[in-house]
């Protein structure tokens, strides 16, 4: 929650935004963004030692990539894999906007290093629908107006789906407690609770 | 974030090899990744230990054994923990959020750093982050800060709820390093800030937490955790109490008590334990036993309410536990 964040990182001579941008460009110059292990072209020799190979299933698709060990799963999903449905809110593990599923469990992608997701299965909001058929939780959020601006919504929905699967959506109080890690600045909370109660029945 | 080398350890032995000063073991990452982004922590080497065989929750004649890589949510959901050690399950469920509990490991929870805002803000002096730079909290906004175990160098609270429950139950933390294995009582695992607040525990460079053992006892099954905070959920403790009682009829045989949000480490209150032993479990007993609970406390400008809050938290926790019985 520090607006001077990027400025803070410029102490090393490279801002984080600039660094990440450069990383993607470098990878693009050397190889396609998403490559398989067999045809992976190593990045420039000076960088090769620093990058980490990650083989991960993202929304069911196997992906092999070389990532900076500092890159979060959130930045990797958004900037490298162009899955921008996952939102960057606080980037400090405090707001829940970046919630995704790793091996079926809800986690914060902003505090997950991409390098630790080797051999894991990641599901983002883009992977929740079954083709053109929305997930019952997505339908319920639309039906109940579970949002205003919509920025926190992907995180709310990913968190809600996992919470129902955990069996922690029994009562309104339990839903509020289980969803307390997802902040909604528009305060759509009553509609979010209604949506989850509806979806809970549809998910049985 | 500062650059670091990254390695995935496939075995404990591999994790310990070359681990030392400048090495950070990465489990859930909920503290480490956060603090590396803020550049409060800048390790040279990060070793991913998530694949190590350090899971498992086992209950035997010695007590409860929890592997360091068990996640908070899994331990909180465990039937044995819920039935025989309710204070542990409750402390975990009242911590953080569903997402964070899925990520954070038990070992990492015990090693989490303070939430003192000055520690987390690299633009301000902080003796814990930068020894000798001064303590901004002493004269700053210190409503959340500690009143027990403080020093002129540091008044930061320890943030873990789990640690408070484990200290009350007399748990030991198991450690390993190239020099061998050892077990340390959690209460003495944590050190007081004194003049060296950058040292928070007796963990040696390159040493790894492998698990926690909670001894079998006559009081663990009759225990509870009460947490008082500024909002109902997803917030750190302003005050908390872990209370475990062994009773016979209406008489308290033995009590085990620790509090959070008050001390620079999880704070055991043996004076209150002694004052409860052998007494009837009544409101009068509780009121009288907690009268001196905050003896030795030093309050700051914004947390003068804490001694009274500590006493009330204890009475409420004891009353709630008695009502459950």
């Amino acid at each position: 929650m520090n607006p001077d964040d990027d400025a803070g990182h410029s102490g090393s001579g490279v801002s984080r935004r600039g660094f990440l941008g450069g990383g993607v460009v470098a990878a693009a110059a050397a190889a396609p963004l998403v490559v398989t292990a067999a045809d992976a072209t190593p990045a420039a020799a000076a960088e090769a030692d620093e990058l980490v190979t990650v083989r991960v299933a993202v929304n069911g698709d196997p992906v092999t990539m070389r990532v900076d060990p500092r890159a979060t799963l959130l930045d990797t999903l958004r900037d490298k894999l162009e899955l921008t449905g996952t939102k960057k809110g606080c980037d400090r593990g405090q707001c829940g906007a970046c919630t995704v599923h790793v091996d079926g469990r809800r986690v914060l992608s902003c505090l997950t290093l991409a390098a630790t997701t080797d051999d894991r299965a990641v599901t983002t909001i883009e992977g929740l629908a079954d083709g053109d058929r929305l997930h019952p939780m997505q339908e319920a959020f639309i039906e109940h107006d579970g949002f205003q601006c919509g920025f926190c919504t992907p995180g709310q929905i990913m968190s809600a789906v996992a919470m129902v699967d955990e069996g922690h959506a029994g009562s309104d109080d339990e839903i509020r407690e289980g969803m307390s890690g997802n902040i909604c600045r528009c305060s759509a909370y009553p509609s979010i609770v209604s949506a989850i109660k509806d979806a809970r029945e549809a998910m049985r | 974030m500062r650059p670091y080398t990254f390695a995935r350890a496939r075995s404990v032995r591999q994790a310990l090899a070359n681990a030392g000063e400048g090495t950070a073991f990465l489990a859930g990452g909920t503290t480490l990744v956060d603090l590396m982004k803020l550049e409060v922590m800048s390790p040279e080497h990060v070793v991913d230990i998530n694949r190590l065989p350090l899971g498992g929750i086992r209950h035997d004649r010695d007590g409860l054994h929890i592997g360091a890589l068990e996640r908070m949510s899994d331990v909180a959901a465990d039937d044995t923990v819920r039935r025989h050690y309710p204070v542990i399950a409750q402390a975990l469920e009242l911590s953080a959020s569903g997402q964070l509990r899925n990520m954070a490991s038990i070992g990492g929870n015990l090693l989490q750093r303070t939430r003192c805002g000055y520690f987390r803000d690299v633009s301000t002096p902080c003796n814990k982050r930068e020894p000798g730079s001064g303590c901004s909290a002493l004269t700053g906004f210190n409503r959340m800060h500690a009143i027990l175990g403080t020093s002129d160098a540091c008044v930061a609270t320890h943030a873990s709820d789990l640690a408070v429950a484990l200290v009350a139950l007399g748990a030991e933390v198991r450690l390993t390093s190239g020099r061998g294995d050892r077990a340390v009582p959690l209460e003495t695992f944590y050190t007081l800030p004194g003049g060296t607040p950058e040292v928070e525990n007796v963990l040696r460079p390159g040493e790894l937490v492998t698990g926690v053992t909670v001894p079998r006892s006559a009081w663990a099954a009759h225990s509870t955790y009460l947490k008082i905070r500024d909002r109902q959920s997803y917030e750190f403790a302003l005050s908390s109490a872990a209370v475990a009682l062994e009773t016979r009829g209406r008489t308290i045989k033995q009590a085990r008590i620790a509090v959070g949000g008050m001390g620079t480490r999880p704070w055991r209150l043996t004076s209150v334990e002694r004052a409860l032993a052998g007494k009837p479990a009544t409101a009068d007993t509780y009121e009288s036993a907690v009268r001196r609970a905050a003896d030795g406390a030093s309050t700051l400008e914004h947390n003068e309410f804490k001694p009274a809050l500590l006493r009330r938290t204890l009475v409420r926790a004891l009353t709630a536990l008695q009502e459950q019985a």
Side-chain angles (χ1 to χ4, degrees), chain B residues 42-248:
Chain B
S42 295
E44 291 163 49
H45 313 289
V46 172
V47 179
D48 178 359
I49 59 167
N50 285 294
R51 310 303 165 103
L52 302 187
L54 295 176
I57 302 169
R58 198 161 49 79
H59 193 226
D60 62 22
R61 67 177 67 177
D62 297 329
L64 178 71
H65 309 274
I66 305 172
L69 285 177
E70 282 294 325
R71 307 296 152 163
M72 291 170 73
S73 53
D74 297 320
V75 177
D78 184 86
D79 282 341
T80 302
V81 174
R82 299 183 76 82
R83 188 173 321 143
H84 299 290
Y85 304 86
V87 66
I88 294 178
Q90 290 167 22
L92 288 167
E93 282 180 334
L94 292 169
S95 302
S97 67
Q99 292 95 314
L100 289 163
R101 291 193 295 272
N102 275 345
M103 302 171 74
S105 70
I106 295 302
N109 179 289
L110 299 180
L111 295 178
Q112 71 182 285
R113 309 298 300 274
T114 182
R115 299 300 296 190
C116 173
Y118 301 105
F119 172 72
R120 294 172 56 81
D121 178 357
V122 294
S123 70
T124 60
C126 168
N127 288 320
K128 189 185 278 298
R129 173 169 35 76
E130 205 179 318
S133 62
C135 174
S136 304
L138 283 175
T139 53
F141 187 63
N142 46 37
R143 179 170 170 273
M144 296 288 289
H145 287 73
I147 57 169
L148 293 164
T150 56
S151 73
D152 290 344
C154 186
V155 291
T157 51
H158 194 272
S160 168
D161 293 298
L162 172 66
V164 175
L166 292 178
V167 162
L169 296 181
E172 284 189 333
V173 59
R174 301 194 305 274
L175 311 171
T176 190
S177 71
R179 296 158 65 179
D181 301 342
R182 61 181 179 137
V184 180
L186 190 61
E187 193 179 349
T188 53
F189 174 76
Y190 297 115
T191 52
L192 292 174
T196 55
E198 72 279 13
V199 179
E200 297 177 348
N201 53 56
V202 301
L203 199 68
R204 298 171 184 139
E207 199 168 32
L208 179 68
V209 176
T210 57
V212 169
T213 297
V214 188
R216 210 174 242 284
S217 68
W219 46 83
H222 187 43
S223 62
T224 196
Y225 193 75
L226 175 66
K227 184 171 179 179
I228 309 293
R229 42 191 167 169
D230 284 335
R231 54 181 177 195
Q232 186 71 23
S233 179
Y234 195 22
E235 182 56 280
F236 290 90
L238 207 47
S239 168
S240 72
V243 175
L245 296 179
E246 180 190 3
T247 54
R248 184 181 292 155

Side-chain angles (χ1 to χ4, degrees), chain A residues 9 69 91 110 118 180 182, chain B residues 1 4 37 51 99 233-234:
Chain A
H9 284 270
D91 204 25
C110 76
D118 194 44
S180 69
N182 291 83
Chain B
M1 214 186 289
Y4 52 77
K37 284 184 182 185
R51 310 303 165 103
Q99 292 95 314
S233 179
Y234 195 22

Side-chain angles (χ1 to χ4, degrees), chain A residues 169-187:
Chain A
S171 64
D172 288 15
D173 280 351
E174 207 180 8
I175 290 170
R176 288 194 189 94
E177 168 61 32
M179 292 296 292
S180 69
N182 291 83
I183 311 296
C184 172
R185 270 300 68 111
C186 307
S187 219

Side-chain angles (χ1 to χ4, degrees), chain B residues 148 164 240-242 257-263 265-269 310 314:
Chain B
L148 293 164
V164 175
S240 72
I257 293 177
V259 292
M262 295 290 162
R265 63 181 181 186
W267 206 262
R268 176 106 178 256
L269 285 171
L310 165 59
L314 287 168

Side-chain angles (χ1 to χ4, degrees), chain A residues 5-6 12 30 38 47 79 94 109 114 156 175 183:
Chain A
D5 209 28
D6 281 331
S12 59
E47 282 187 10
D79 299 339
Q94 298 174 0
S109 61
Q156 298 277 0
I175 290 170
I183 311 296

